[in-house]
Amino acid sequence: MSLAWRCRQLAWCSSQLPTMDRGLPSTTSLVHFCQKLNRLKTVEEPTRETSLRRHLTMLHLTLLGVGGMVGSGFYIVNGPMAKEMAGPAVLVSFGVAAVASLLATLCYAEFVICVPCAGTFYLFTYMSMGELWAFLIGWNVLFQCLSGGTAMGRVWSGYLDSIFSHRIRGFTVAYVGIWQVPFLSQYPDFLAAGIILLASASISCGVRISYWLNYTFSVVNLVVIVFIIVMGFVLARPHNWSAEEGGFAPFGFSGIMAAAATCFYAFEGFGVIAASSKEAWNPKRAVPMAIAISLGLVAGAYILVSTVLTLMVPWHSLDPDSVLADAFYQRGYSWAGFIVAAGAIFAMTAVLLIFNYFLTHTTCAMAADGLLFQVFAHGHPRTQVPVVGILVFGVLMAFLALLLDLEALVQFLSISALLAYTFVATSIAVLRFQKAPPSNSLGLVSPVGTEQASAPEPGQLRPALRTYLGFLGGCRPGAAVAWALGVLVASAITLDCVLVFGDPALHLPLWGYTLLLLLSSVMFLLSLLVLGAHQQQRRQDTFQVPLVPLTPALSILLNIFLMLHLSYLSWLCLSIWLLIGLAVYFGYGIWHSKENQRERPRLTAPRGSLEETVQALQPPSQTPAQEPGLTEQPTSP
């Protein structure tokens, strides 16, 4: 038997290896499947940021951050948090949420800079972490946009109803009745469903969100906020914080933390600072300063509004659906309530359109990459607007507006935002200890002139510590970092669970509770030390998160701590949504992904190379096709 015949038989057997045993997949197929989940998005076009002019000063970035954060949070979160979670202590909740937001924003700023093209969480994750994680983040963004759009519709309806003395609500309750089900609205809000459908129809017809609309929206919000603060202090009654009205913190520490977790969403607009960092002068200084200043200003505004709100009227008498206008109506200042309600309606209309825009943008991006059904990426021939996606999700938002309570929607917004920024903090810890690939391969920004050829690569043990931590130096590059990061996240979850649920929920003796608390704390600190003992990427001309790995670790710890204070129904709904997303990905996305299509030629390349080798080895008189007993097998993708 000739050498050529043996080579061709080996090639045929290797092509059949993954399918020989259907019950037990081979190690090679499992490794390849895991590689599919972590494949990165390929950059097809030159990045546009190389031509962006650096013209934004620290003042510009600060104004962008204030405009991004001053918005829907004032009209949504104050009512449910003050009445049902924290009482007047809601102002403390805003302070805690501001600290968590500061840590999350610093991580997000570096995360954006690592990827050279503009986009969303989904795109950044796809180009830096991998396909499965990108899909989950994109799916989480869809959940957040659905919840946000539905909440905007509910608030829009509530403030319009307040102008008409709640006659719309009274009419609906009289003819439909009241429901008493957790997380469901007491009555179906047909007005909210109608405004959501109208906004979706407007977007589908090609209405664009212009800059002047965003600027006008920000100016109107600032004017209304200043008006509320001034008039609120004029009408303040310190008696409303007295023990007769329930005291300052009627729900205790757990209520304050639950409110802080819920109001985290109110600071989410800070991402605009990070997204604009590549157009800033001296971003290494301007970005953190703009983040700190804008967060401080907005947190101060939230605290002042919450203060005057609970001083104007007792916290237990607030109407969550139209809290700011209702406070003025209760005090007899109908004209002031009308001004606030009109400003809220204008603001909610703009934010509702923005939520629809981001929902469409993310859906189109995922569908264009093949991870979602292609019908969502098809645009109208004239307007190029993906009508199917807008209408499908618009109808879904309208249906949710009929059923869900505003408090439930706010918790959905917060848990999705906290989950996204927890992932961002974890990603920073991963990327900082990874060697940056060439910029022309994956589009990631490489360190600029900071590493010498002889310097240790990121992920390796620091030379000064090799004498003391020699046992870590023998690990495969990056293995110790990966294990330490996994232990850090696991210990953070354990520590937060122990702190939040405490001894009564765990049913442990005091020594067992104390031991678990100490073990989780020690493991968290040890994993931090192991991460800090390894080399990191260093860049001189761009912003990097200070004190890594401490800053992302604290962000992870605080975000999980806040998430655990949200209701179990929020966790249940998020889990169901993510399970649906995993079914979509493994049933459709992983097979129709564009990166999967690009992999097919590479998968067939080894066989082609083997056949070329066979043809080179065999004598000229032999023809491979004439070998007896072996027919050509089709190549499987």
Side-chain angles (χ1 to χ4, degrees), residues 144-212:
Q144 187 175 355
C145 290
L146 283 172
S147 303
T150 306
M152 296 308 113
R154 295 277 314 190
V155 174
W156 193 99
S157 170
Y159 276 96
L160 181 64
D161 195 20
S162 69
I163 295 178
F164 296 100
S165 302
H166 302 289
R167 291 190 180 93
I168 301 175
R169 178 170 60 186
F171 178 84
T172 307
V173 170
Y175 286 91
V176 178
I178 296 179
W179 305 334
Q180 297 293 340
V181 182
F183 264 33
L184 293 186
S185 176
Q186 292 186 349
Y187 62 94
D189 197 335
F190 296 102
L191 183 60
I195 189 60
I196 289 173
L197 292 176
L198 183 60
S200 301
S202 301
I203 294 291
S204 65
C205 292
V207 174
R208 297 183 181 274
I209 310 299
S210 59
Y211 286 107
W212 72 264

Side-chain angles (χ1 to χ4, degrees), residues 22-169:
R22 296 290 183 181
L24 183 63
S26 65
T27 305
T28 305
S29 61
L30 289 176
V31 170
H32 178 63
F33 181 75
C34 293
Q35 290 174 347
K36 280 178 175 286
L37 304 181
N38 293 282
R39 53 195 172 197
L40 303 178
K41 181 176 175 62
T42 305
V43 178
E44 299 177 348
E45 300 177 356
T47 59
R48 294 174 293 177
E49 274 63 24
T50 55
S51 62
L52 288 178
R53 184 169 59 91
R54 294 185 177 272
H55 63 283
L56 297 179
T57 64
M58 185 177 67
L59 178 61
H60 292 143
L61 292 176
T62 302
L63 292 177
L64 283 173
V66 172
M69 286 181 281
V70 173
S72 57
F74 281 98
Y75 304 103
I76 292 181
V77 298
N78 280 291
M81 290 189 333
K83 183 174 183 178
E84 302 174 7
M85 296 183 184
V90 66
L91 59 93
V92 181
S93 302
F94 276 115
V96 175
V99 173
S101 301
L102 176 61
L103 296 175
T105 311
L106 293 175
C107 296
Y108 182 63
E110 181 175 342
F111 193 58
V112 172
I113 292 174
C114 286
V115 182
C117 56
T120 59
F121 274 125
Y122 160 76
L123 180 60
F124 300 147
T125 308
Y126 206 165
M127 298 182 65
S128 58
M129 298 299 296
E131 184 173 283
L132 175 62
W133 310 112
F135 179 87
L136 290 177
I137 287 296
W139 193 253
N140 181 70
V141 170
L142 296 183
F143 180 74
Q144 187 175 355
C145 290
L146 283 172
S147 303
T150 306
M152 296 308 113
R154 295 277 314 190
V155 174
W156 193 99
S157 170
Y159 276 96
L160 181 64
D161 195 20
S162 69
I163 295 178
F164 296 100
S165 302
H166 302 289
R167 291 190 180 93
I168 301 175
R169 178 170 60 186

Side-chain angles (χ1 to χ4, degrees), residues 1-13 610 614 627 630:
M1 186 178 294
S2 66
L3 176 62
W5 166 250
R6 290 181 180 274
C7 290
R8 286 184 57 80
Q9 190 175 23
L10 177 62
W12 181 84
C13 292
L610 183 59
V614 171
E627 298 288 350
L630 183 66

